[in-house]
């Protein structure tokens, strides 16, 4: 059965990037170990500890579709139509790029509910990953998220882009986490409570 989860690397004070979209303080754990985990894009290979490697291999094997917002899509140039995790991407945007045909594996839609529905269709029996803070918050408010995943990095950034902000339907209650200790990051996986 398809599961919808969010996954972000986050600082201890709740930020997924600095105010200028910088991630240098956060993504060091992707190169902090001895176990090599190749992605579907040759230039992106992780070198992590054994437990983080198992986690990343699971994400790679189970990713059926990825949902993001237009901002992340633009910052990454749409990953040149091939996200390192491998799956097709669904972008939530009110204005698709004029040259959208440059990204044939990418779907553009104008609302979160439609994006999740489309991503589930694309994913089949694999998982849908939401990789955008704003989209994750909206999807959580809409009751569309099954799990929240955090790779928690031991840094305090002081300011930046928060993982979850301006939640309209808070509080959202989560089950106790599955905790995977790693080098440079502690990985937390929380099932969303449905009560």
């Amino acid at each position: 059965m398809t599961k919808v989860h969010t996954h972000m690397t986050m600082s201890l004070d709740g930020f997924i990037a600095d105010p200028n979209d910088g991630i240098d303080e956060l993504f060091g754990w992707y190169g902090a170990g001895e176990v090599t985990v190749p992605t579907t894009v040759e230039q992106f290979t992780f070198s992590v500890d054994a437990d983080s490697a198992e986690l990343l291999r699971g994400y790679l094997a189970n990713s059926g579709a990825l949902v993001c917002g237009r901002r992340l899509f633009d910052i990454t140039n749409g990953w040149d139509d091939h996200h390192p995790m491998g799956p097709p991407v669904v972008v939530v945007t009110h204005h698709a790029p004029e040259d959208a045909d440059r990204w044939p594996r990418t779907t553009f839609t104008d609302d979160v509910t439609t994006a999740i529905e489309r991503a589930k269709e694309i994913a089949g029996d694999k998982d849908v990953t939401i990789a955008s803070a704003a989209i994750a918050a909206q999807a959580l408010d809409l009751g569309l998220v099954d799990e929240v995943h955090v790779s928690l990095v031991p840094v305090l950034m002081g300011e930046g882009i928060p993982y979850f902000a301006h939640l309209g339907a808070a509080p959202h209650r989560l089950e106790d986490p599955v905790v995977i200790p790693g080098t440079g990051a502690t990985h937390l996986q929380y099932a969303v409570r449905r009560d």
Side-chain angles (χ1 to χ4, degrees):
M1 185 170 133
T2 301
K3 177 174 55 182
V4 177
H5 69 266
T6 71
H7 179 244
M8 299 294 249
T9 296
M10 183 182 80
S11 67
L12 282 174
D13 51 351
F15 299 109
I16 59 157
D18 70 25
N20 299 312
D21 294 312
I23 53 174
D24 291 344
E25 291 289 338
L26 298 170
F27 279 24
W29 72 272
Y30 285 115
E34 302 295 325
V35 181
T36 300
V37 180
T39 70
T40 62
V41 176
E42 189 174 318
Q43 67 263 34
F44 293 107
T45 298
F46 305 124
S47 296
V48 295
D49 62 90
D51 290 334
S52 296
E54 184 177 343
L55 175 85
L56 290 172
R57 286 185 188 116
Y59 286 146
L60 285 161
N62 296 316
S63 276
L66 184 133
V67 178
C68 73
R70 178 66 187 271
R71 182 170 172 226
L72 180 59
F73 179 82
D74 287 346
I75 289 169
T76 62
N77 190 35
W79 299 278
D80 293 324
D81 205 37
H82 199 91
H83 190 278
M85 297 304 281
V89 175
V90 178
V91 180
V92 181
T93 179
H94 294 298
H95 305 286
E98 289 182 19
D99 58 347
D101 58 342
R102 281 183 48 208
W103 299 278
R105 296 181 73 232
T106 301
T107 301
F108 297 92
T109 186
D110 65 356
D111 72 271
V112 173
T113 301
T114 303
I116 299 298
E117 288 171 359
R118 181 68 186 116
K120 285 173 129 179
E121 290 170 9
I122 292 168
D125 60 351
K126 292 191 171 187
D127 293 342
V128 171
T129 302
I130 302 172
S132 171
I135 304 306
Q138 292 175 59
L140 192 60
D141 277 344
L142 291 165
L144 302 173
V145 176
D146 299 309
E147 294 182 359
V148 173
H149 296 193
V150 178
S151 291
L152 191 63
V153 175
V155 64
L156 297 168
M157 294 177 62
E159 62 179 342
I161 299 167
Y163 192 170
F164 289 105
H166 312 294
L167 291 166
H172 293 285
R173 292 176 181 82
L174 310 173
E175 300 293 347
D176 290 336
V178 172
V179 180
I180 302 167
T183 301
T186 300
H187 311 289
L188 307 168
Q189 299 177 347
Y190 300 89
V192 176
R193 284 176 43 188
R194 298 293 184 200
D195 49 47

